[in-house]
Amino acid sequence: LTLIATISYVILSLFKLESNVRNHSVQNIPREFDSPAGWQGQGKGDTTNIPKKPIFYLHVGPPKTATTTIQAKLFESKDLLSKDEIVFLGRSPRYKSWYLNNFPHVAHCPMYRRYAEKAGGISPDCFSKMNETLQSYYHSGNDLLISDEVVGIMFSENSERSQQALADFKDLVRDWDVRILLGYRPYFDFVTSQFNEQWEVK
């Protein structure tokens, strides 16, 4: 439990640290090099036309690496994250829906975009809804954070449907600065935990 709490604290600290770095880094760059135009001797010192790319943090597990605990801690800290302009969208540990604010599932929507007959109740409009919602967040300038090990599982499948869904998702977030977050757990700890869950060993 101490290790899990430490992991959660470190993740939250990293978000805080990165926010502080982004907020102050421009001030520490020499004026003649603070924009691409500056390298060419044009528009030196002018950063007004260089928009900040919002960051899309996507924590994809894998399973059995304290994902549930991390998601619960992030959920508890969502108001704190919002003060740093980071919107936590889930997964939600308390509600039946996958994500907060009715945000469509990151893997399910792209996966079933071309296979609507297998969607299993997922709205056929969820892909366009995701695109519209992402655009809204993008123009608000907020960063996004999603933690969901199912995304890693579905996008890592070596199948045509999975690879096409991944390509569609990449197209959706092409304007974002995407950061993929991965957890790690020693193999034999992982196997033991998976076995205990599979066979309900207490």
Side-chain angles (χ1 to χ4, degrees):
L1 289 177
T2 302
L3 176 60
I4 293 174
T6 301
I7 292 173
S8 302
Y9 174 79
V10 168
I11 287 179
L12 289 171
S13 298
L14 286 174
F15 290 135
K16 181 66 175 178
L17 175 62
E18 185 169 84
S19 175
N20 290 337
V21 169
R22 291 203 318 273
N23 289 337
H24 298 287
S25 59
V26 174
Q27 300 176 10
N28 299 324
I29 298 176
R31 298 295 291 176
E32 63 269 23
F33 298 133
D34 63 0
S35 71
W39 290 96
Q40 302 170 2
Q42 300 174 355
K44 292 184 179 180
D46 182 11
T47 59
T48 57
N49 295 323
I50 304 177
K52 180 183 88 71
K53 233 180 181 181
I55 300 174
F56 193 128
Y57 298 102
L58 184 57
H59 173 226
V60 295
K64 313 309 296 179
T65 57
T67 50
T68 301
T69 301
I70 290 172
Q71 289 155 8
K73 292 299 181 182
L74 290 173
F75 180 83
E76 292 174 7
S77 306
K78 65 181 185 301
D79 292 336
L80 180 62
L81 290 167
S82 68
K83 293 180 180 179
D84 286 326
E85 299 182 339
I86 300 175
V87 179
F88 176 64
L89 291 176
R91 294 174 54 177
S92 167
R94 296 185 182 179
Y95 303 106
K96 292 182 180 179
S97 59
W98 285 89
Y99 298 147
L100 305 178
N101 302 337
N102 295 315
F103 190 76
H105 193 277
V106 170
H108 288 173
C109 282
M111 190 74 73
Y112 295 119
R113 180 189 186 191
R114 301 166 186 271
Y115 301 88
E117 71 279 4
K118 300 180 181 179
I122 295 177
S123 169
D125 299 325
C126 67
F127 190 85
S128 58
K129 178 183 177 182
M130 179 183 288
N131 185 36
E132 292 173 2
T133 308
L134 281 174
Q135 288 297 317
S136 176
Y137 280 121
Y138 182 88
H139 291 297
S140 73
N142 290 324
D143 299 332
L144 297 183
L145 168 59
I146 289 178
S147 173
D148 187 358
E149 63 273 29
V150 175
V151 174
I153 293 172
M154 296 185 72
F155 281 158
S156 62
E157 294 177 358
N158 188 22
S159 66
E160 180 180 352
R161 182 174 69 171
S162 178
Q163 295 306 306
Q164 183 60 63
L166 179 57
D168 289 342
F169 176 71
K170 288 170 62 178
D171 186 58
L172 275 180
V173 296
R174 63 187 180 278
D175 294 327
W176 292 77
D177 181 1
V178 179
R179 312 282 180 90
I180 304 299
L181 307 177
L182 290 169
Y184 169 77
R185 189 173 187 177
Y187 176 75
F188 288 105
D189 288 347
F190 166 84
V191 170
T192 302
S193 179
Q194 183 66 46
F195 177 87
N196 291 341
E197 179 179 302
Q198 188 74 27
W199 297 100
E200 299 182 352
V201 176
K202 304 297 183 183

